[in-house]
């Protein structure tokens, strides 16, 4: 069974979608979360993990002198829990090249826009301001850049005339909760093959 480490910083609704999929959906019997790591204490994601009896650890980035020693602790925690796939789920820190190298090809992220449009932060607001008619979400492998890694799955949603940042975010989030577990399932089944920038899904 694939062991997953989930890195979080806040609400944890994507973490919840992954947990639900493991308990009663398509990830059942295929993957399990061996540790949830939050860089921020007291966040809702930690409560969600505890509620489902999943090991939850705080590695507070503020307790470390520099980001290198912080990340060493994160890598150590992931290694100690035999993690084979790292999932970023609302993790608000950029990974260093060392961490990316350590788990190369074994780190996924969910981003609330149709990459390569609108990388970075506050992207639903940026999509509205730009005036796009469609936005959505992207699950991708993580490389050294910011939201630049090879794309696994995307889902599009319409942008409506009366949308606010909140309503658009909610419509996108619904799709995030669908495609993140789906991408993890494909990874767990060994169906994802990276060829340059392209990710091919074997057997389709
Ligand atoms: C999601 O919109 C995700 O795409 C982005 O941060 C948000 C995290 O939400 N990376 P949650 O913590 O999973 O509820």
């Amino acid at each position: 069974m694939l062991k997953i480490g989930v890195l979080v910083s806040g609400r944890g609704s994507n973490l919840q979608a992954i947990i639900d999929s493991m308990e009663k959906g398509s990830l059942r019997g295929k993957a399990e979360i061996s540790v949830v790591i939050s860089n921020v204490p007291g966040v809702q994601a930690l409560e969600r993990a505890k509620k489902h009896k999943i090991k939850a650890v705080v590695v507070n980035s503020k307790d470390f002198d520099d980001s290198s020693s912080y990340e060493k602790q994160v890598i150590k925690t992931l290694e100690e829990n035999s993690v084979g796939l790292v999932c970023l789920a609302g993790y608000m820190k950029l990974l260093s090249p060392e961490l990316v190298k350590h788990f190369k090809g074994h780190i996924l992220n969910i981003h609330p826009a149709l990459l390569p449009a609108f990388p970075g932060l506050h992207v639903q607001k940026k999509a509205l301001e730009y005036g796009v008619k469609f936005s959505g979400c992207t699950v991708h492998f993580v490389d050294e850049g910011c939201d630049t890694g090879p794309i696994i799955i995307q889902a599009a949603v319409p942008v409506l005339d009366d949308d606010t940042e909140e309503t658009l975010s909610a419509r996108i989030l619904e799709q995030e909760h669908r495609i993140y577990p789906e991408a993890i399932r494909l990874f767990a089944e060994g169906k994802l093959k990276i060829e340059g920038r392209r990710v091919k899904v074997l057997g389709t």
Side-chain angles (χ1 to χ4, degrees):
M1 181 122 67
L2 176 68
K3 288 187 188 301
I4 297 180
V6 185
L7 302 193
V8 297
S9 302
R11 178 179 56 182
S13 71
N14 277 288
L15 168 69
Q16 188 68 55
I18 296 167
I19 294 171
D20 291 347
S21 181
M22 285 167 174
E23 288 187 353
K24 44 185 190 278
S26 62
L27 285 176
R28 199 170 172 173
K30 293 185 177 156
E32 63 186 4
I33 298 175
S34 55
V35 66
V36 171
I37 304 174
S38 173
N39 69 312
V40 183
V43 294
Q44 196 185 354
L46 291 164
E47 291 310 313
R48 293 184 195 266
K50 279 178 204 151
K51 194 170 163 209
H52 291 265
K53 305 200 174 5
I54 294 168
K55 183 172 178 182
V57 176
V58 176
V59 183
N60 190 341
S61 36
K62 293 196 173 136
D63 290 345
F64 294 80
D65 292 339
D66 51 52
S67 61
S68 166
S69 40
Y70 160 72
E71 279 211 342
K72 275 195 185 118
Q73 184 59 37
V74 172
I75 293 173
K76 189 167 170 259
T77 309
L78 292 168
E79 290 289 352
E80 279 169 2
N81 289 282
S82 311
V83 164
L85 177 70
V86 180
C87 290
L88 311 185
Y91 181 62
M92 298 305 282
K93 281 181 84 66
L94 263 185
L95 299 187
S96 71
E98 287 71 39
L99 201 153
V100 173
K101 208 168 139 204
H102 198 94
F103 290 98
K104 187 93 187 178
H106 295 78
I107 312 175
L108 306 187
N109 182 41
I110 178 98
H111 182 75
L114 291 176
L115 292 170
F118 308 118
L121 296 174
H122 311 299
V123 296
Q124 298 94 335
K125 184 164 177 274
K126 287 179 190 162
L128 283 173
E129 283 169 1
Y130 196 94
V132 292
K133 297 298 183 189
F134 283 89
S135 190
C137 47
T138 304
V139 182
H140 63 94
F141 282 105
V142 173
D143 65 9
E144 287 77 5
C146 175
D147 303 322
T148 51
I151 290 169
I152 302 168
I153 305 183
Q154 294 187 300
V157 305
V159 179
L160 307 180
D161 286 349
D162 58 356
D163 261 337
T164 61
E165 194 182 342
E166 288 68 35
T167 58
L168 179 59
S169 299
R171 193 174 308 117
I172 293 172
L173 198 61
E174 208 176 298
Q175 296 304 314
E176 293 184 38
H177 297 164
R178 184 176 67 78
I179 67 170
Y180 209 177
E182 175 64 7
I184 294 169
R185 180 183 67 79
L186 292 172
F187 182 95
E189 291 176 351
K191 289 194 173 151
L192 299 178
K193 184 160 180 252
I194 306 176
E195 287 181 6
R197 277 220 52 86
R198 298 183 72 184
V199 179
K200 303 230 169 119
V201 180
L202 303 175
T204 54

